[in-house]
Amino acid sequence: MVYEIASIPGDGIGPEVVDAARPVFEDVAERHGFELSFTRYDWGTERHLEEGAMMPENGLKELEGYDAILLGAVGHPDVPDHVTLNNLLLPIRKGFDQSICKRPAILFDGVESPLEGYDGGDIDFVVYRENTEGEYADMGGQEHPGHDHEVAVQSAVFTRTGTERIVRAAFDAATEREGHLTSITKSNAQAHSMVFWDQIVEEVSEEYPDVTVERLLVDAASMDFIRRPEEFDVVVASNLFGDILTDIGAIITGSMGLAPSANIDPTRTYPSMFEPVHGSAPDIVGDGVANPLATVFSGSMMVAHLGESEAGEALWNAATDQLADSEAPRTPDLGGSSGTEDVVEDLRSRL
Amino acid sequence: MVYEIASIPGDGIGPEVVDAARPVFEDVAERHGFELSFTRYDWGTERHLEEGAMMPENGLKELEGYDAILLGAVGHPDVPDHVTLNNLLLPIRKGFDQSICKRPAILFDGVESPLEGYDGGDIDFVVYRENTEGEYADMGGQEHPGHDHEVAVQSAVFTRTGTERIVRAAFDAATEREGHLTSITKSNAQAHSMVFWDQIVEEVSEEYPDVTVERLLVDAASMDFIRRPEEFDVVVASNLFGDILTDIGAIITGSMGLAPSANIDPTRTYPSMFEPVHGSAPDIVGDGVANPLATVFSGSMMVAHLGESEAGEALWNAATDQLADSEAPRTPDLGGSSGTEDVVEDLRSRL
Ligand SMILES: CC(C)[C@H](C(=O)O)[C@@H](O)C(=O)O
Ligand SMILES: CC(C)[C@H](C(=O)O)[C@@H](O)C(=O)O
């Protein structure tokens, strides 16, 4: 079996982590009797600066035939983020209807949390983030520029289709986990969108009588991720709320350098995309110390999504073994002084 | 000098903390040669359940003549939040053009942070939150209810007037503090509203050459409040982002039971409103253990706003002295076992 993977290393440390992790993925494939065939696309801000576009006009068409996409990072200090993101990362998520963004937040053994009193194993939840609409809808504009009565409007759009599918995916996940779902809202201040969200959660919950549902306001949830993270199981949130909460989830579990994500089209009409949650990290580019583990965990989710669940587990376990081993190399974000390559080499020896 | 204060204890623990704190405020006034004359309004969800409205129809008119408003909490387990909030708290903020919401986040001596390695004095910043528009605009709706193509839209509205005044207030505050301003955006995904916000920050910054400005995405900021809270001085954010960030600010500085807020109309056309950030806390209602200190700190801001800065300082210092004193009574949210009244009594002895 050969799986065709489009690799888009992107900006900043993206190429460092994606290129470093690739041999790990190839190793694990070989050991499990399949092949991952990577095609590398040099799309990103360098291309934008040279050729005026983050990706070619037919970029999405080009990606369509792949089994999955592995993305590094998008973002560059010299170009505004809304230019770079809206021309590479977000068009893929939206264009390929990757409506389900799955982001685990796990405090692994051997990793320190900034929260006092939390040790490895104490935190283990997953956020299901709506990934194609909501507050990220590209809808709105500015009127009367420069005048006193100038106004800007940004409209959040929630469709029944989009909301139902993320909510249903989260209920499915809760069924397979501890049976507890937390739905994030801001219904007290956003009566048009969030009351609709609550209504869909209510409707769908009737199909899942064994799942307990808790509703939590986004502000309270941000607090509770710090105050009682151990109590969460599956969390379902809109695009923006999911964005904020998964960053909190990443930091309370030790490092942005460990947080993986999967952007999934559940219908499998289009390729799904796997990416570390960390960004391009311009401050450490070229130092060779970027943590490749978020990419490795993302790759584990990718391989599992392709149907190779044993290989996915092998990758996951190699990474968690390494983290639990106090003698193993670790990058500076985890308090170590090793480089990207040391971590990768050690990982390969554990497969 | 007599200041007329409208007190709206509201729901849940609101009446417990507002009524308990009132004698503290009266004490401090007497000692500083002025009078605070409180008029108590039984507005809130009980009234809604009995009479069908959170407040009378001419409620705002009734409040208009006061020098300030002291509010407890709004929110009740039996009524959806968007009903209670949109009929009491939010109409006051919007109707009285309380455009500046000021929320300090200070880790006081004697208070424990859930963040490892942070001690009293290590965290001290203030969030300036836009308070009357943005993502809280009551604009949007639902179409095709129940059908597959149903859609809900919630529009965030940013006016030049509203954005300029919160940004300017934040720059003014930075000038009086450490000269560092962090502006919160999500420009990478919300190009219509947040790019406008960035533009206003850029424009206004030219009037304040001595203030350094950092732009930070809301997801990164949520993380950085946990990772490096000591580096913030003044933070300026939209209504929703400010809501989320101030809850994180409250929890990292030890307790929601300590976080105060001021909702200010800078033109002084209308009364400003002062309220603890914590909500109605249905889980502890009637137990007599609600922490009155967030209300006391809010009252301190109120008294200072009225021009009685020495009295404001006296209140603030009595509360921080109490917190620093390990023998002093503290409520359960701070790890103690004292009640609301014990804390108030001890406070009065410190004035
Ligand atoms: C880069 C940005 C557009 C993106 C998002 O907000 O979705 C990132 O923060 C993420 O969480 O993947
Ligand atoms: C109760 C709610 C509407 C309110 C808000 O979101 O503004 C509260 O969370 C706050 O922070 O004051």
Side-chain angles (χ1 to χ4, degrees), chain A residues 139-140 152-157 189-190 192-193, chain B residues 133-141 152-158 193:
Chain A
M139 206 175 260
V153 173
Q154 176 98 36
S155 295
V157 177
Q190 300 191 315
H192 303 291
S193 54
Chain B
E133 54 172 45
E135 307 89 343
Y136 281 37
D138 186 18
M139 206 175 259
V153 172
Q154 177 99 34
S155 296
V157 176
F158 291 79
S193 55

Side-chain angles (χ1 to χ4, degrees), chain A residues 81-82 114 116 135-136 138 140 147 150 152-156 158 160 186-190 192-193 196 219 243, chain B residues 81-82 114 116 135-136 138 140 147 150 152-156 158 160 186-190 192-193 196 219 243:
Chain A
D81 283 337
H82 67 279
E116 198 151 335
E135 306 88 344
Y136 281 39
D138 185 18
H147 292 284
E150 181 170 7
V153 173
Q154 176 98 36
S155 295
F158 291 79
R160 172 172 284 274
K186 185 70 201 179
S187 319
N188 51 1
Q190 300 191 315
H192 303 291
S193 54
F196 173 68
D219 48 330
D243 175 48
Chain B
D81 283 338
H82 67 280
E116 197 150 338
E135 307 89 343
Y136 281 37
D138 186 18
H147 291 285
E150 182 171 4
V153 172
Q154 177 99 34
S155 296
F158 291 79
R160 172 172 284 273
K186 187 67 202 178
S187 319
N188 52 359
Q190 299 190 315
H192 303 291
S193 55
F196 173 67
D219 48 331
D243 175 47

Side-chain angles (χ1 to χ4, degrees), chain B residues 291-308:
Chain B
N291 192 340
L293 289 182
T295 305
V296 170
F297 284 122
S298 302
S300 160
M301 293 170 85
M302 175 177 81
V303 166
H305 177 79
L306 293 172
E308 304 290 348

